[in-house]
Amino acid sequence: NAGVTQTPKFRVLKTGQSMTLLCAQDMNHEYMYWYRQDPGMGLRLIHYSVGEGTTAKGEVPDGYNVSRLKKQNFLLGLESAAPSQTSVYFCASSRTNPYEQYFGPGTRLTVT
Amino acid sequence: AQSVTQLDSQVPVFEEAPVELRCNYSSSVSVYLFWYVQYPNQGLQLLLKYLSGSTLVESINGFEAEFNKSQTSFHLRKPSVHISDTAEYFCAVSGSTDKLIFGTGTRLQVFP
């Protein structure tokens, strides 16, 4: 099993550009999450999903959109990137509750 | 609303010394508590969890944490640390929601 994978690992965007981050899990987990990690701020939840076709807002959803069309994939979109979105993005999944989350390796995004 | 406070952003310690990483939480409902560990350039991994039962929980690599309801704390301890324990440690809480609330993290630096 690959666990949780994230694509791409690194990306540099110019302000105003758009991109999509892909998260995939092969553990048949119901729950999936997108976090951002910034120095001194820990992990902040952007959006999450409790099953295929569902999404919900987390703590910092503004400027991001998500989709969960297939159970194994959770996509995070930035429609118009801003420098404030420079961060490391982590995807996570869990089976049927949020307690034991399995994290991907992260995507380092820089917006100039 | 639930929240988690990690009082120390950095904890330097010499190898083989004991260590305590502090975590306090606030919640109006019963909680489940977790410690996650993040090694350099990796995602987070679950270290240990308290769901119910014994208030003292242990990990496979010698860490332990004690749930103290009266002091709303879940401090992480290890009697003798190793160089390989150098990492960032995150305390997290979950109550009646579908998500975890993470603290801001404590960077444990073990020196030889």
Side-chain angles (χ1 to χ4, degrees):
Chain A
N1 287 352
V4 179
T5 57
Q6 293 183 230
T7 308
K9 289 185 169 51
F10 302 93
R11 186 71 186 268
V12 178
L13 287 180
K14 294 187 188 305
T15 298
Q17 288 184 321
S18 64
M19 77 163 294
T20 300
L21 281 68
L22 171 63
C23 175
Q25 52 94 4
D26 61 1
M27 297 173 283
N28 201 35
H29 284 173
E30 292 294 332
Y31 289 47
M32 295 188 76
Y33 306 84
W34 275 108
Y35 296 91
R36 59 178 290 172
Q37 183 176 28
D38 302 290
M41 304 191 76
L43 269 75
R44 293 182 292 169
L45 182 64
I46 305 171
H47 287 281
Y48 66 103
S49 168
V50 298
E52 181 179 312
T54 75
T55 63
K57 293 181 179 179
E59 181 185 356
V60 289
D62 294 342
Y64 305 95
N65 57 75
V66 288
S67 65
R68 182 111 181 259
L69 299 179
K70 292 184 179 180
K71 187 176 184 179
Q72 64 267 33
N73 296 336
F74 195 29
L75 278 64
L76 178 71
L78 287 72
E79 291 186 348
S80 180
S84 61
Q85 294 178 304
T86 293
S87 187
V88 181
Y89 291 85
F90 286 100
C91 176
S93 71
S94 57
R95 199 161 62 91
T96 55
N97 59 54
Y99 308 146
E100 183 161 4
Q101 295 187 19
Y102 292 79
F103 282 77
T107 295
R108 186 172 295 275
L109 174 66
T110 301
V111 183
T112 61
Chain B
Q2 297 161 335
S3 67
V4 177
T5 301
Q6 292 185 245
L7 297 167
D8 305 299
S9 60
Q10 295 188 60
V11 173
V13 64
F14 287 108
E15 195 172 20
E16 297 183 8
V19 71
E20 178 180 81
L21 307 184
R22 296 180 291 170
C23 172
N24 287 91
Y25 69 90
S26 66
S27 176
S28 57
V29 298
S30 297
V31 295
Y32 303 131
L33 293 157
F34 309 84
W35 277 99
Y36 278 76
V37 58
Q38 183 181 29
Y39 298 105
N41 300 312
Q42 295 185 26
L44 279 69
Q45 305 170 35
L46 180 65
L47 185 62
L48 46 76
K49 61 187 175 187
Y50 170 78
L51 301 181
S52 64
S54 172
T55 57
L56 185 66
V57 291
E58 298 178 353
S59 72
I60 59 172
N61 59 350
F63 282 93
E64 65 179 30
E66 185 162 19
F67 170 54
N68 188 319
K69 189 174 181 179
S70 63
Q71 297 188 7
T72 60
S73 68
F74 191 55
H75 300 332
L76 182 69
R77 301 182 181 96
K78 190 171 185 180
S80 176
V81 294
H82 190 267
I83 294 283
S84 60
D85 293 324
T86 293
E88 189 148 18
Y89 292 79
F90 292 91
C91 184
V93 63
S94 180
S96 58
T97 63
D98 295 320
K99 46 190 184 286
L100 291 178
I101 306 299
F102 286 89
T104 52
T106 297
R107 185 171 300 276
L108 175 64
Q109 181 73 53
V110 181
F111 295 96

